[in-house]
Amino acid sequence: MTGTEAVEKIVGALAAVDGLRLATPVSPGTTWLPVDWAGQAVDLSPEVVQVRLIATRLPIPPLLDRAAAAVRPVLVGTEWENARLRLVVTDLDGAAFARPTSQ
């Protein structure tokens, strides 16, 4: 699997995790540039796979557990299988305060 394919699969896996979204430098809908904005939230190296996220609900620890459970299977059998997974919440969406907390 190439790095681009791995990033695409990670992005796809995280799309299914309610309460988190990828932290991108620009909203994909605000530009005409043909850039993989979602993929810019993911960094791959042999030592660390880092994903920058925005939380849209609370509490954060269970969200990160679900995100890790979604991403780890994507890495199995790849050169990043043994890399440390670092999930970084870069921002908290105001919507997180409007919703009741869930576990």
Side-chain angles (χ1 to χ4, degrees):
M1 174 182 322
T2 68
T4 301
E5 291 169 334
V7 168
E8 288 174 3
K9 289 184 179 208
I10 291 168
V11 167
L14 288 170
V17 179
D18 189 36
L20 292 172
R21 71 174 188 259
L22 295 165
T24 59
V26 172
S27 173
T30 63
T31 181
W32 57 269
L33 294 173
V35 174
D36 175 19
W37 295 109
Q40 292 187 5
V42 179
D43 296 325
L44 298 175
S45 78
E47 297 82 27
V48 178
V49 172
Q50 179 171 287
V51 183
R52 289 171 296 286
L53 301 160
I54 296 173
T56 61
R57 65 174 31 171
L58 297 170
I60 292 173
L63 296 175
L64 295 179
D65 290 342
R66 287 194 293 268
V71 172
R72 271 287 163 209
V74 170
L75 302 175
V76 172
T78 71
E79 64 186 278
W80 306 282
E81 180 174 21
N82 295 316
R84 188 168 31 126
L85 179 59
R86 181 183 300 151
L87 302 171
V88 180
V89 176
T90 63
D91 202 358
L92 183 59
D93 190 300
F97 298 105
R99 297 182 186 184
T101 59
S102 64
Q103 297 291 328

